[in-house]
Amino acid sequence: MDKNTSTGDSSIDKSSDDIHHFDTPALPVLPKTASPLIAVLLLLIAMLSLQGGASLAKTLFPVVGPQGVTALRLGIGSLLLLAWFRPWRMKVRGGNLRALLIYGLALGSMNYSFYLAIQTVPLGIGVALEFTGPLAVAMFSSRRPVDFVWVILAVVGLWFLLPLGHNTDSIDPKGACLALFAGACWAIYILAGQRAGSSYGPSTAAIGSLIGALVFFPIGAIQAHASIFSLSILPLGLLIALLTSAVPYSLEMMAMTRLPAKTFGTLMSMEPAMAAMSGIIFLGEYLNGMQWLALAAIIAASVGSTLTIQRKIKLETVKVAGNRPSGK
């Protein structure tokens, strides 16, 4: 639901005029006199908010299970997006309903599978494995020789993270597969979001989140370990939705107005490391040296693909709210 970026996405290069075709709420921007360092700081805070929210979500697993947390996040997050974007008031171009449905289902599936994944694997590793989805989309958009370097780095990182015959005591095979599946859903989300966003504009995020919630909220609510409507749980659900959606989205949108596309994409590539640090601080999920090297390889592949992507062939995503989908 959240994560308005992916590896190598450069939606920030798109002119703001593209959005003015739609009757949308004003998006937050930094003053033109603001230092780029402020934008970098806001982006770092956004990533901390997202991963802190993911850690908080994981602490709720013993109470309602990952399915219940998914239901809370999608349900409350959808209400927040609908209240902010009010898609029923927007003038849209119409069309591409199929892409919108795929976008919403990919969003819901990604959240559901990611939370199931981090039930058994550390948060940092789960995010790194999921990050391979948008990384693959970015790298497959170019076929230059240098891109093979990033592919090799990503494969090396995966080799040392996945339980492929070597000693990976702390990695659950099922959890790792679920994280990779979440990454595949993230890739589909990006591609379908391009098509849907061209027709539905910024309302794509709200409508897509609603579609995902309509499918996965009842599934998660039924599978929850306890009532997710308990007064002791709902405030935490609201906080998770704010930390993983509203706060990072707003801060990232502000940062986008002051940072070049490559700078933005490079900084966002640090997210697996942020997730790992959040897991250590809030969950006590310590990684071994080999796992840190694997994360470094995936991050290096992400940074490299962002810095070397060619302008004429770079993947662009529609600038819509909530293009950061990860259920992290």
Side-chain angles (χ1 to χ4, degrees):
M1 164 180 93
D2 27 26
K3 271 136 136 13
N4 19 359
T5 87
S6 64
T7 308
D9 297 355
S10 301
S11 60
I12 37 189
D13 278 348
K14 299 187 77 172
S15 167
S16 59
D17 292 340
D18 293 343
I19 297 222
H20 296 332
H21 291 292
F22 306 94
D23 181 18
T24 67
L27 295 173
V29 295
L30 282 176
K32 291 184 178 180
T33 56
S35 167
L37 291 178
I38 295 178
V40 171
L41 179 61
L42 291 178
L43 191 56
L44 293 175
I45 294 173
M47 287 189 281
L48 288 172
S49 173
L50 179 71
Q51 301 307 331
S55 296
L56 177 61
K58 191 165 181 176
T59 63
L60 269 186
F61 286 2
V63 182
V64 297
Q67 302 92 335
V69 173
T70 301
L72 285 170
R73 183 179 177 186
L74 285 175
I76 297 176
S78 296
L79 293 177
L80 292 175
L81 287 173
L82 288 170
W84 174 253
F85 285 97
R86 295 164 291 176
W88 56 88
R89 297 180 58 181
M90 293 184 181
K91 298 176 181 178
V92 299
R93 296 168 182 166
N96 232 322
L97 179 60
R98 180 181 178 183
L100 183 63
L101 290 173
I102 294 174
Y103 171 89
L105 290 174
L107 172 61
S109 299
M110 177 173 47
N111 279 264
Y112 187 80
S113 56
F114 180 79
Y115 279 134
L116 287 175
I118 63 171
Q119 184 180 24
T120 57
V121 301
L123 178 61
I125 291 178
V127 172
L129 293 176
E130 185 192 28
F131 219 66
T132 58
L135 175 58
V137 172
M139 290 192 298
F140 289 159
S141 67
S142 175
R143 294 178 176 83
R144 294 171 301 146
V146 68
D147 294 312
F148 288 100
V149 175
W150 316 133
V151 171
I152 292 171
L153 272 176
V155 170
V156 168
L158 286 176
W159 172 259
F160 287 111
L161 280 184
L162 296 177
L164 300 174
H166 47 82
N167 184 19
T168 52
D169 296 335
S170 62
I171 304 299
D172 172 60
K174 181 179 178 181
C177 289
L178 284 167
L180 289 174
F181 178 76
C185 291
W186 192 346
I188 295 172
Y189 167 94
I190 293 171
L191 298 175
Q194 288 182 296
R195 291 179 174 270
S198 65
S199 295
Y200 300 97
S203 64
T204 303
I207 301 173
S209 183
L210 177 61
I211 292 171
L214 289 174
V215 175
F216 287 95
F217 181 85
I219 294 175
I222 292 172
Q223 295 179 335
H225 298 168
S227 174
I228 62 174
F229 303 106
S230 168
L231 292 180
S232 63
I233 293 175
L234 282 178
L236 290 175
L238 175 60
L239 182 58
I240 289 170
L242 287 171
L243 288 175
T244 58
S245 300
V247 172
Y249 167 69
S250 299
L251 294 179
E252 284 173 10
M253 288 304 299
M254 294 174 69
M256 279 181 179
T257 65
R258 300 297 298 167
L259 291 176
K262 286 187 176 181
T263 302
F264 185 89
T266 301
L267 288 171
M268 288 306 305
S269 298
M270 301 303 296
E271 194 152 359
M274 285 282 194
M277 293 303 300
S278 180
I280 291 172
I281 295 170
F282 299 111
L283 301 171
E285 295 178 342
Y286 294 91
L287 306 183
N288 60 39
M290 193 63 69
Q291 290 167 342
W292 276 113
L293 287 175
L295 257 67
I298 291 176
I299 290 170
S302 176
V303 171
S305 67
T306 299
L307 293 178
T308 60
I309 195 167
Q310 287 183 328
R311 189 173 200 76
K312 64 181 180 180
I313 59 173
K314 71 183 174 187
L315 175 68
E316 291 189 343
T317 58
V318 177
K319 192 183 334 183
V320 297
N323 191 25
R324 166 195 289 286
S326 75
K328 311 172 208 28

